[in-house]
């Protein structure tokens, strides 16, 4: 298998995931194998391409808006995974009414309350 071809394909998928958040998780998984891809990883990347082909028009649309402000949203869950009792937090930012950034991640420490989990996600 051509390692360079796999890296170019996954690089293009990473770029595309900026306007297609529905593929972000799958792309993050295949991008973990950039330095040592196997045939199975390439098949997973092709599966993402097949999904994209079957779902045209599902991406983010950036439009002109009268609202010229920046708005941010943040949220977290408390003890989202029972096995490790860690919370998951996330945020998104809108610029002129268009979604421009988003992220979710598992918090590194165990929160003792939902208020503490939310405070950590804001921080």
């Amino acid at each position: 298998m051509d390692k360079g071809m796999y890296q170019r394909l996954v690089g293009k998928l990473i770029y595309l995931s900026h306007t297609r958040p529905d593929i972000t998780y799958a792309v993050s998984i295949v991008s973990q194998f950039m330095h040592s891809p196997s045939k199975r990883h390439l098949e997973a990347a092709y599966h993402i391409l097949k999904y994209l082909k079957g779902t045209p028009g599902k991406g983010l649309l950036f439009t002109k808006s009268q609202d010229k402000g920046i708005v941010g949203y943040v949220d977290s869950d408390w003890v989202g995974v029972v096995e490790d009792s860690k919370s998951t937090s996330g945020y998104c930012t809108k610029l002129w009414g268009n979604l421009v950034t988003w992220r979710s991640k598992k918090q590194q420490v165990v929160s003792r309350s939902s208020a503490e989990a939310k405070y950590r996600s804001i921080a």
Side-chain angles (χ1 to χ4, degrees), residues 22-113:
D22 53 336
I23 65 168
T24 303
Y25 179 75
V27 172
S28 72
I29 296 298
V30 296
S31 69
Q32 294 176 16
F33 304 98
M34 294 282 266
H35 297 291
S36 58
S38 69
K39 184 178 177 186
R40 192 170 155 195
H41 301 127
L42 183 61
E43 289 171 359
Y46 284 152
H47 189 75
I48 296 169
L49 289 175
K50 288 177 190 174
Y51 169 77
L52 290 169
K53 185 177 179 183
T55 57
K58 296 283 186 182
L60 296 176
L61 177 64
F62 296 103
T63 59
K64 189 174 181 180
S65 173
Q66 298 298 323
D67 178 25
K68 295 191 176 4
I70 298 173
V71 179
Y73 300 96
V74 64
D75 197 10
S76 66
D77 67 346
W78 182 45
V79 189
V81 180
V82 178
E83 288 82 25
D84 62 5
S85 298
K86 293 184 179 174
S87 302
T88 304
S89 61
Y91 71 85
C92 67
T93 308
K94 291 176 116 182
L95 176 65
W96 290 21
N98 296 298
L99 185 64
V100 292
T101 61
W102 60 91
R103 184 174 183 194
S104 65
K105 71 177 201 170
K106 187 182 284 193
Q107 294 179 1
Q108 297 295 324
V109 296
V110 176
S111 299
R112 287 178 255 158
S113 68

Side-chain angles (χ1 to χ4, degrees), residues 13-24:
L13 288 172
I14 290 170
Y15 182 76
L16 183 61
S17 69
H18 293 298
T19 57
R20 291 291 302 257
D22 53 336
I23 65 168
T24 303

